[in-house]
Amino acid sequence: MTESFHRSGEYENPYEGQQQAPVNPEWPPPPAYAPAHAPHPKKRGRGPFALIAAVAIVAAAIGGGTAYGIQELTGNDTVASSSTSTTVVPSSQKGTVAGVAKAVSPSIVEISADSNAGSSTGSGVIITSGGEIVTNNHVVAGASQIKATTSDGKSYTAKVVGTDSKKDLALIKLENASGLKAATLGDSAGLQVGDQVVAIGSPEGLSGTVTSGIISALDRDVTVPTEEGQDQGQQQWGQGQGQDGDQWPFEFGGRQFNGDTGSDTTTYKALQTDASLNPGNSGGALIDMNGNIIGINSAMYSPTSQASSSSDAGSVGLGFAIPINTVKADLAKLRAGSTD
């Protein structure tokens, strides 16, 4: 500040009567013989530039809480996203499956969808505190009623906001929801084969089930039916009434798994994981060891289609997830109400 405080009375100049430069009225007084080219004192930063610097310091100090803090400050419809490896897991449990499960489980919901074809169970990921949830299109396609249950047992009615059958993605919104714990969306571009991951979902309706494994492969071309090509609609990849272990059908490497994908299909690049996925995991989260969502689980191979009974169904370590960067790139379209 350039303002200064003066006591009553005149300032006494100890060099009175001598030839000298005018005295600066600020305290303390300058030296009697200042250098000929003394640099001008810098003014303190004021206004927006000072504020930006302060915010940057605070952001660096709070570290892993930055993304969540930004979300809370900017409103219920802001997605917490990180282009780097933001740490959501407490430092004391960093790198552990237990730490990831504790930090992320409150952001995963079980989805129950009813349609004319029956009912199904899937999973979803909360991306805003106001109740926006990302899931698979095939979990909610054709649903007349959708219910989502959070990890603490609260149930909400949900409506479809937008769908993208070409990417097997959907955005739903819970009604009258607030204060939910939103997940942090990570960066799938930096993943490597062998990276450890955790999957959370509701296989067979067992809410909050946690499994772990690694990234087995990247950029797998997985082909799945679009909404129009689903002969059994809602009953696939869930607990379909009247169904005996049907799984979400997909095609890979020229072979079809878990049933016929039909003639109307779409292909996307998927992450392959050996983390155990079972019916009901669809739409749930694939998570890195820092607690960031790096994929949305979408398909898994089960020997059911070759088995004589559904008792032989189960994970054999061949699961696939839609990369989270694909989800982030599609989010604006889904929010705009796309029905592709």
Side-chain angles (χ1 to χ4, degrees):
M1 300 292 291
T2 56
E3 298 177 0
S4 60
F5 175 77
H6 298 278
R7 299 178 184 274
S8 59
E10 294 184 352
Y11 173 81
E12 295 183 2
N13 184 359
Y15 304 101
E16 185 175 0
Q18 301 181 19
Q19 290 286 339
Q20 63 176 30
V23 175
N24 189 330
E26 294 183 351
W27 184 265
Y33 302 98
H37 301 286
H40 293 289
K42 295 182 179 179
K43 294 183 179 181
R44 294 181 181 178
R46 304 178 67 180
F49 294 100
L51 176 60
I52 291 173
V55 170
I57 292 171
V58 172
I62 63 178
T66 303
Y68 180 76
I70 291 173
Q71 176 192 340
E72 290 303 303
L73 288 171
T74 54
N76 286 350
D77 292 330
T78 301
V79 178
S81 179
S82 174
S83 59
T84 58
S85 187
T86 300
T87 300
V88 179
V89 180
S91 57
S92 61
Q93 294 182 302
K94 185 177 179 180
T96 67
V97 174
V100 172
K102 183 177 181 180
V104 184
S105 288
S107 301
I108 311 300
V109 300
E110 177 183 316
I111 296 175
S112 299
D114 296 325
S115 72
N116 292 332
S119 63
S120 68
T121 300
S123 306
V125 178
I126 300 171
I127 62 169
T128 64
S129 60
E132 284 186 330
I133 292 173
V134 170
T135 186
N136 287 138
N137 176 60
H138 72 260
V139 171
V140 297
S144 57
Q145 182 176 344
I146 302 172
K147 184 178 74 172
T149 305
T150 57
S151 63
D152 59 2
K154 293 182 180 179
S155 293
Y156 299 86
T157 299
K159 298 293 184 183
V160 174
V161 176
T163 60
D164 187 345
S165 61
K166 298 299 182 183
K167 295 186 175 73
D168 195 19
L169 291 172
L171 181 70
I172 66 174
K173 179 71 182 294
L174 305 185
E175 296 183 341
N176 302 316
S178 63
L180 302 179
K181 184 175 181 180
T184 299
L185 307 186
D187 182 6
S188 53
L191 296 175
Q192 299 181 34
V193 173
D195 284 348
Q196 290 184 299
V197 291
V198 173
I200 304 179
S202 299
E204 305 294 353
L206 301 174
S207 302
T209 295
V210 178
T211 58
S212 64
I214 62 169
I215 295 293
S216 302
L218 304 170
D219 298 326
R220 292 296 202 195
D221 286 324
V222 173
T223 300
V224 298
T226 59
E227 180 180 346
E228 293 80 7
Q230 297 176 35
D231 295 331
Q232 294 177 333
Q234 284 299 104
Q235 295 177 350
Q236 296 181 17
W237 236 123
Q239 291 183 308
Q241 293 178 355
Q243 297 299 302
D244 194 18
D246 285 333
Q247 315 300 315
W248 177 239
F250 70 96
E251 180 180 325
F252 173 71
R255 297 179 58 196
Q256 292 183 334
F257 301 92
N258 305 330
D260 186 0
T261 56
S263 59
D264 195 350
T265 61
T266 184
T267 301
Y268 57 82
K269 298 288 186 180
L271 305 173
Q272 182 181 328
T273 180
D274 69 350
S276 179
L277 301 180
N278 287 285
N281 271 115
S282 192
L286 192 66
I287 313 156
D288 68 17
M289 298 309 290
N290 288 320
N292 301 303
I293 311 299
I294 47 94
I296 299 297
N297 299 321
S298 57
M300 48 82 68
Y301 168 69
S302 171
T304 303
S305 56
Q306 289 91 29
S308 59
S309 68
S310 61
S311 62
D312 295 323
S315 173
V316 293
L318 289 174
F320 299 90
I322 302 167
I324 201 63
N325 286 7
T326 299
V327 178
K328 292 193 288 188
D330 209 36
L331 192 54
K333 178 180 177 181
L334 295 172
R335 279 178 160 172
S338 169
T339 56
D340 292 348

